């Protein structure tokens, strides 16, 4: 996470609308990014596209994309509507964040975001669905083949 983002979060700066927006000049707040990732996870888990979720709550798919990326901050009322449409509590979007005032910075793993983004694609969902159709032993062998193809032979042999 860039130092300026970590500093802004740990400095207890105000969370007004001036910190996240469409101007592109300011970095998104780490909490907005985290909540967006959680939104994407819950949406994918519910097997909804960005368009389908947007239709349920009166948004365009582009607005859902901006929320998921953390580029735009989600208002409390919209977060409530999204949680209701996904049948989850509003609090689940904040699970895993440090307690306010603890001094801990929020860390966002970029590789986790990349994985979530892939799973949100049609190809990613098809891949997972097909893998789940395989018996467990064959899944393990398939994973070993994928690792070997990707160049991780040592990891493939460990399993």
């Amino acid at each position: 996470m860039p130092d300026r983002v970590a500093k802004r979060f740990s400095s207890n700066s105000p969370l007004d609308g001036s910190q996240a927006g469409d101007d592109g000049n300011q970095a998104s707040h780490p909490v907005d990014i985290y909540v967006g990732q959680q939104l994407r996870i819950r949406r994918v888990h519910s097997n909804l596209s960005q368009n389908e979720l947007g239709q349920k709550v009166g948004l365009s798919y582009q607005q859902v994309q901006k929320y998921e990326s953390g580029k735009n901050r989600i208002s409390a009322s919209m977060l409530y509507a999204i949680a209701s449409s996904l049948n989850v509590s509003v609090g689940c979007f904040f699970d895993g964040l440090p307690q306010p005032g603890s001094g801990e910075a929020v860390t966002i793993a970029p590789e986790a975001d990349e994985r979530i983004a892939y799973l949100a694609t049609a190809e990613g969902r098809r891949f997972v669905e097909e893998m789940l159709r395989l018996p467990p032993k064959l899944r393990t062998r398939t994973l070993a083949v994928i690792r070997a193809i990707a160049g991780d032979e040592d990891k493939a042999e460990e399993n």
Side-chain angles (χ1 to χ4, degrees):
M1 175 172 29
D3 288 336
R4 66 187 173 124
V5 176
K7 285 178 187 174
R8 194 169 73 215
F9 180 74
S10 61
S11 69
N12 295 323
S13 60
L15 293 176
D16 61 12
S18 66
Q19 289 189 350
D22 288 323
D23 63 11
N25 293 334
Q26 294 184 332
S28 297
H29 193 281
V31 173
D32 295 327
I33 296 169
Y34 185 86
V35 169
Q37 285 182 341
Q38 297 306 305
L39 168 57
R40 181 179 286 161
I41 290 168
R42 301 297 176 171
R43 178 183 58 77
V44 170
H45 184 71
S46 297
N47 203 27
L48 291 174
S49 68
Q50 290 174 332
N51 191 47
E52 291 167 331
L53 177 60
Q55 288 175 348
K56 285 184 166 209
V57 296
L59 298 172
S60 68
Y61 77 89
Q62 294 99 331
Q63 188 61 45
V64 175
Q65 281 179 331
K66 289 179 181 181
Y67 286 157
E68 289 183 356
S69 70
K71 181 174 181 169
N72 283 6
R73 180 170 292 137
I74 307 172
S75 70
S77 57
M78 183 52 64
L79 191 59
Y80 183 83
I82 290 170
S84 296
S85 71
L86 295 174
N87 296 316
V88 298
S89 70
V90 173
C92 80
F93 296 107
F94 300 94
D95 289 345
L97 285 174
Q99 289 296 316
S102 69
E104 293 180 51
V106 177
T107 56
I108 307 298
E111 65 275 0
D113 189 46
E114 183 180 333
R115 292 172 187 156
I116 294 166
Y118 176 72
L119 290 175
T121 66
E123 179 186 44
R125 287 193 300 270
R126 279 195 312 273
F127 180 79
V128 170
E129 288 168 2
E130 294 301 324
M131 286 293 286
L132 291 174
R133 290 180 51 199
L134 298 173
K137 190 171 186 176
L138 192 50
R139 268 187 243 156
T140 303
R141 291 179 180 167
T142 304
L143 180 59
V145 169
I146 291 170
R147 284 181 174 159
I149 291 170
D152 293 340
E153 292 87 4
D154 295 336
K155 289 182 183 176
E157 292 173 8
E158 291 174 7
N159 295 327

